[in-house]
Amino acid sequence: MTSEPKGRFAAYRKTLAAISARTKTPLPSLILSFGILHELTAVVPLVGVFYGARALGVGERVVSAIIEDEQNSNSQAGGSALEYEKDGFSWARRKMKSWVEEGDRWSIRIGRRYGVFGYEKRPPGTVDDVEEMAGASGHIAGDVANAVFAYGVTKALLPLRIGASVYFSPMFSRTIIEPIRRTIIQPFRRKL
């Protein structure tokens, strides 16, 4: 009789154990590698797209086009959401609009915390009303628009980021994580 693991995550445990055996990397190292690569694949495009949009002046144009498109669609539909829904691109438009709104809130929080994107650095201990600041008209311009654009592009790249993280995790684990782990553990091993 084989004892099958029981519980809610039993299927995941078996699958992860199979992946670990197939790639010949320890499971904790594989998970840590995925986490590190996932974060790297978020930070690198975010910074790269921000500075690329800043250099090319793309961020403000794209973000303002998304905002204007939303306003035009609402005014053309005469307030009727049904007519707007008939358009095949309505899901993509709503998703881009939500990314602009999320990116706006994100840029306000980061900008006020670190004093970037044209925001003043807030004093320690003060709390900003992000919703009030996001509601101000015309505040998405310049570096704020570039940050919002970079945020949206990074969100759109999520499937590629996850795929790349999964694909490169075993190699990263074997070449980076495991040598570091062995170096750290070596002094604590008992010598026979």
Side-chain angles (χ1 to χ4, degrees):
M1 281 205 292
T2 60
S3 63
E4 297 270 332
K6 295 187 181 189
R8 192 156 67 171
F9 300 110
Y12 298 117
R13 281 189 216 129
K14 287 173 61 176
T15 303
L16 289 172
I19 291 171
S20 177
R22 187 176 64 232
T23 59
K24 297 178 179 71
T25 55
L27 187 57
S29 175
L30 201 58
I31 292 170
L32 180 63
S33 296
F34 174 81
I36 291 170
L37 289 173
H38 182 68
E39 291 305 314
L40 281 174
T41 60
V43 171
V44 170
L46 189 67
V47 171
V49 170
F50 173 78
Y51 283 110
R54 184 187 225 187
L56 300 173
V58 175
E60 194 167 356
R61 286 184 285 184
V62 170
V63 170
S64 66
I66 291 170
I67 292 170
E68 287 172 12
D69 182 50
E70 178 73 18
Q71 291 169 348
N72 290 340
S73 296
N74 287 342
S75 66
Q76 287 176 355
S80 168
L82 183 61
E83 188 176 328
Y84 182 64
E85 288 296 320
K86 290 179 184 176
D87 187 2
F89 295 107
S90 65
W91 177 84
R93 287 178 179 155
R94 283 194 317 268
K95 186 56 75 175
M96 286 189 294
K97 178 68 174 164
S98 72
W99 286 345
V100 166
E101 291 169 355
E102 288 175 28
D104 184 23
R105 288 181 187 89
W106 172 82
S107 67
I108 290 169
R109 282 193 310 273
I110 298 299
R112 292 284 291 157
R113 177 179 292 160
Y114 300 110
V116 293
F117 309 139
Y119 289 106
E120 287 184 28
K121 187 174 183 175
R122 73 168 181 246
T126 60
V127 178
D128 291 327
D129 186 6
V130 175
E131 294 302 319
E132 181 184 324
M133 294 175 79
S137 63
H139 76 282
I140 300 181
D143 280 350
V144 175
N146 293 329
V148 169
F149 177 69
Y151 179 87
V153 169
T154 303
K155 292 280 275 189
L157 291 175
L158 183 65
L160 295 175
R161 291 176 35 221
I162 290 174
S165 299
V166 167
Y167 183 78
F168 290 113
S169 287
M171 180 197 62
F172 189 78
S173 175
R174 284 190 299 269
T175 59
I176 306 290
I177 302 297
E178 279 303 302
I180 291 172
R181 184 187 68 83
R182 278 188 244 117
T183 302
I184 291 172
I185 290 178
Q186 187 69 28
F188 300 107
R189 288 231 166 134
R190 197 166 61 164
K191 294 181 177 146
L192 298 175

